[in-house]
Amino acid sequence: MRLLSHHFSSKDLLHMVMCSSTWLSKVQPLSAWCNFKCHYRTQQPEQGRKQSQAGEEQKQNKKQGPSIGSPARIQKLIASQSDPLLAKEIFDLASREPDFQHSYATFHTLILKLGRSHQFSLMQSVLSSLKSHQYSVSPSLFSHIIQIYGDAGLPDKALKTFYTILEFNMKPLPKHLNLILEILVSHRNFLRPAFDLFKSAHKYGVLANTTSYNILMRAFCLNDDLSIAYSLFNQMFKRDIAPNVESYRILMQGLCRKSQVNKAVDLLEDMLNKGFVPDALSYSTLLNSLCRKKKLKEAYKILCRMKVKGCNPDIVHYNTVILGFCREGRAADACKVLEDMPSNGCLPNLVSYQTLVGGLSDQGMYDEAKNYMVEMMSKGFSPHFSVVHAAVKGFCNVGMLEEACEVVEDILSHGEALHTDTWGEIISRISEWDDAEKLGNLLEEIIRAEIKPETRIVEVGARLGEYLMNRIKSKSRKG
C-alpha cells in the first residue's frame, strides 16, 4: 500500500478500500485489502486513470468536500480487519488527510489490536500519537495494555505502563497497581521491583488496598520471607486497612508451610475473635498441618468447632482427620470421626472408607475392617484391590481362614473381581488341606478369567469361594 500511495492520494486509497468493502460485503466478508487489490487491477492505464481521477476529485471536492468517510466509519473499518498491520496502514492513511481526526474509539481499538498480536512497537507509536490528542482516556485501556504485557511475559513493560499512565495526566487506579503487582510477583526476579512500587505508589496518589497487601503477602510467603509477610499483615492494621479472610488464610498457609502450626492456630483464634468466618480452605490448611505434626487432639477439636463457627466441615476436612488418625495407629478414633459425619450433613465417600479399612487392617482389627468393607460396598463403592488384599492377608496371617473366605465371598457377591495375589494368598494357606495340583489348576483358571474380564470371572470366583468355604467348614467339623 505504501508503493501505491505514490500514485494515489490517501483519500483515493481509503475511498477505494471502503468502496470495495461495500461492494463485496453482501457476497463474502473478505478483507478490505484483498478487495482493494482486485479493484485496482481492473482500473484503466496509469496515465489516463490519474488524469480522470484528478478531474473527478476536483469535481467531488467542489460539490461535497472530503469523501474518505467519517471517523466512525474509519473506526469500523479498522475494527473489522483481522490483520493488525493492515489496520495500522488504514489508520496512517486517514491520519495524513488534512483536517481529519480519528475518534478515541479508533485509537483504543487499534492499540489493543496491535498489542494482542504482539506488535508492541507499533502499539507504542499509536499510544504516543494518542497522547498528543486531548481525549479523555479510559482507564480500561491501560488495564488491557498491562494485561497484554502480562500475558506476553513482559513484566518490565507492565511496570513501565504504570508511569505511562502518569504521562497522560491520569492518576493510576488501585486496580492498575494490583494488576501490575500480580504480574511482577509471578516472576521471581521482579519481587523486589514489585515491593518498591508498592511502597512508592502513594507518592502518585495511588493507595494500596487489601488486595495489594494480599498479593505481596502471598508472594513473600511463597518466597520463604515469612517475616516480611507478617510485617505487611501488621501494617494493615496500623494504616486502617481491614484484612479479609484471604489475608488470614495466606498468612496461615505461610506459617503451616514453615511448620509453625501453633502460630497458625493462634491466628485462627484471633480471626474468630475479630468476627471473621474462616473459609473451607483455611481449615483444610490448618487440619492438614496439625495432622502431619501429630496434633490429632487439636485437629479433632477444630473439626468439631467448625460448624459452630459458621463453616460446615466438608468431605476433605473429615478425610484429612481420618487419615491423620489412621497414620498414627488410632483407627478406632478414625471410626468415630466417620460415624459423626452423617449427623453433620456430610456422607463418607470412597476415600473415607478405604482409608479407614486400610487403617483397621494395619492394626489387626480385621473384623471391623470387614464390616466397613461390606458397608462401603452396600453404598455402591468398589474397594481397591489393595484394601481387599490387606484384609484377606490379615485374616490368613492369624489363621482366620473362614473369615478370609467370607471377605472373598462378599467381594464376589457384589460383582467385584479379586486380584490374583489375593487368590494366591488364600489358596496357599489351605493347600495343606487339599490336593495342591487341583488347587493350582483352579487358580490358573481364575487367572485366565481375569485376563479376559467377562462375567464368568464372578461365576468362577464364586465357585471357588463356595468351594473354599465348604472345605474349611468340613475340616472344622472333622476337627
Side-chain angles (χ1 to χ4, degrees):
M1 188 175 283
R2 289 192 180 93
L3 292 175
L4 294 175
S5 63
H6 294 298
H7 305 290
F8 296 90
S9 68
S10 57
K11 179 170 63 179
D12 181 36
L13 286 170
L14 280 168
H15 178 71
M16 296 177 74
V17 168
M18 289 186 289
C19 286
S20 62
S21 297
T22 303
W23 295 337
L24 295 177
S25 61
K26 296 182 180 180
V27 180
Q28 187 177 5
L30 299 175
S31 70
W33 173 232
C34 293
N35 297 339
F36 169 69
K37 288 195 295 185
C38 294
H39 176 79
Y40 174 70
R41 292 191 186 105
T42 62
Q43 300 305 302
Q44 55 187 313
E46 180 66 23
Q47 189 63 33
R49 192 212 62 76
K50 289 178 63 176
Q51 293 176 355
S52 61
Q53 181 68 25
E56 184 64 26
E57 183 177 345
Q58 291 177 358
K59 294 179 182 178
Q60 291 293 332
N61 288 339
K62 290 180 181 179
K63 294 180 179 180
Q64 300 176 355
S67 60
I68 65 171
S70 65
R73 192 177 182 191
I74 296 296
Q75 190 273 333
K76 185 177 180 181
L77 180 61
I78 289 174
S80 67
Q81 300 308 309
S82 59
D83 184 353
L85 297 180
L86 175 57
K88 178 64 166 58
E89 289 282 4
I90 295 172
F91 176 87
D92 292 340
L93 284 172
S95 301
R96 288 198 288 268
E97 281 302 300
D99 301 325
F100 183 84
Q101 188 172 10
H102 288 292
S103 66
Y104 170 71
T106 303
F107 281 99
H108 192 115
T109 300
L110 184 58
I111 288 170
L112 298 188
K113 189 180 290 289
L114 292 168
R116 286 166 180 159
S117 61
H118 290 194
Q119 300 291 336
F120 299 124
S121 59
L122 292 178
M123 181 183 75
Q124 286 296 334
S125 70
V126 177
L127 192 61
S128 299
S129 177
L130 174 62
K131 187 167 63 175
S132 64
H133 292 70
Q134 300 300 315
Y135 292 119
S136 177
V137 181
S138 169
S140 66
L141 174 63
F142 291 104
S143 297
H144 288 305
I145 293 174
I146 294 168
Q147 191 61 61
I148 285 170
Y149 282 135
D151 293 340
L154 299 170
D156 52 336
K157 292 188 179 296
L159 177 58
K160 187 177 179 181
T161 304
F162 180 87
Y163 302 101
T164 301
I165 298 174
L166 299 173
E167 295 174 4
F168 279 77
N169 295 320
M170 290 179 59
K171 184 173 72 173
L173 301 177
K175 68 177 182 180
H176 295 138
L177 172 64
N178 294 338
L179 187 56
I180 294 171
L181 291 177
E182 283 278 16
I183 293 169
L184 294 178
V185 300
S186 66
H187 298 265
R188 190 180 183 89
N189 295 336
F190 282 84
L191 180 55
R192 181 54 59 181
F195 197 31
D196 292 340
L197 176 63
F198 171 82
K199 291 186 293 185
S200 64
H202 69 279
K203 298 178 182 178
Y204 307 102
V206 188
L207 298 179
N209 56 20
T210 304
T211 302
S212 312
Y213 278 90
N214 288 348
I215 292 169
L216 267 297
M217 285 169 56
R218 183 185 297 106
F220 281 113
C221 283
L222 293 174
N223 199 48
D224 288 334
D225 292 324
L226 190 58
S227 59
I228 299 178
Y230 229 116
S231 176
L232 287 168
F233 181 75
N234 292 326
Q235 193 179 100
M236 294 175 71
F237 295 97
K238 296 177 182 179
R239 296 186 176 178
D240 293 327
I241 298 175
N244 56 18
V245 171
E246 185 181 5
S247 308
Y248 279 95
R249 173 166 34 85
I250 290 169
L251 198 53
M252 286 170 61
Q253 289 174 330
L255 289 166
C256 290
R257 194 177 292 109
K258 299 287 285 185
S259 298
Q260 299 181 27
V261 65
N262 290 334
K263 288 185 177 181
V265 172
D266 293 339
L267 195 62
L268 176 68
E269 294 299 326
D270 179 66
M271 186 179 183
L272 293 170
N273 291 335
K274 286 184 168 61
F276 290 98
V277 178
D279 59 3
L281 185 55
S282 299
Y283 278 114
S284 296
T285 300
L286 194 54
L287 288 173
N288 185 60
S289 186
L290 285 168
C291 290
R292 289 187 177 277
K293 298 293 282 186
K294 303 180 181 181
K295 295 179 178 293
L296 300 173
K297 182 179 179 180
E298 292 85 344
Y300 184 63
K301 181 180 177 181
I302 289 175
L303 182 67
C304 294
R305 290 175 57 197
M306 284 180 63
K307 191 171 183 179
V308 178
K309 296 299 182 179
C311 181
N312 291 329
D314 60 25
I315 192 66
V316 175
H317 302 129
Y318 279 109
N319 286 348
T320 299
V321 178
I322 289 172
L323 178 61
F325 278 122
C326 289
R327 277 176 174 169
E328 295 305 309
R330 297 174 59 179
D333 292 322
C335 292
K336 186 178 186 305
V337 175
L338 186 137
E339 297 300 327
D340 288 343
M341 294 175 66
S343 61
N344 288 316
C346 185
L347 298 177
N349 64 2
L350 176 62
V351 175
S352 312
Y353 281 111
Q354 292 202 147
T355 303
L356 184 56
V357 171
L360 290 167
S361 298
D362 290 341
Q363 286 189 250
M365 303 172 67
Y366 303 115
D367 286 327
E368 292 83 354
K370 185 186 74 170
N371 292 335
Y372 278 110
M373 196 182 303
V374 172
E375 181 180 325
M376 72 181 292
M377 288 189 295
S378 69
K379 296 181 182 300
F381 299 118
S382 298
H384 192 266
F385 74 86
S386 62
V387 175
V388 178
H389 184 74
V392 171
K393 185 176 181 179
F395 277 123
C396 290
N397 286 340
V398 296
M400 300 174 68
L401 300 181
E402 185 172 347
E403 286 77 3
C405 288
E406 286 177 355
V407 172
V408 171
E409 187 177 17
D410 289 332
I411 294 295
L412 296 173
S413 65
H414 281 86
E416 303 293 337
L418 256 65
H419 194 273
T420 304
D421 291 345
T422 308
W423 287 120
E425 185 68 35
I426 299 175
I427 292 174
S428 65
R429 299 290 178 168
I430 63 170
S431 60
E432 59 194 52
W433 288 355
D434 295 278
D435 180 24
E437 183 179 355
K438 182 179 178 180
L439 287 172
N441 293 336
L442 200 54
L443 179 59
E444 188 177 340
E445 184 181 358
I446 292 298
I447 294 173
R448 284 200 304 269
E450 289 203 16
I451 293 175
K452 299 177 181 180
E454 302 169 355
T455 54
R456 66 191 183 94
I457 177 60
V458 177
E459 298 170 2
V460 175
R463 288 202 302 272
L464 179 58
E466 184 180 357
Y467 167 78
L468 294 175
M469 287 292 294
N470 290 337
R471 293 299 298 167
I472 291 172
K473 290 177 181 179
S474 175
K475 291 292 182 181
S476 298
R477 285 195 296 270
K478 290 179 180 179

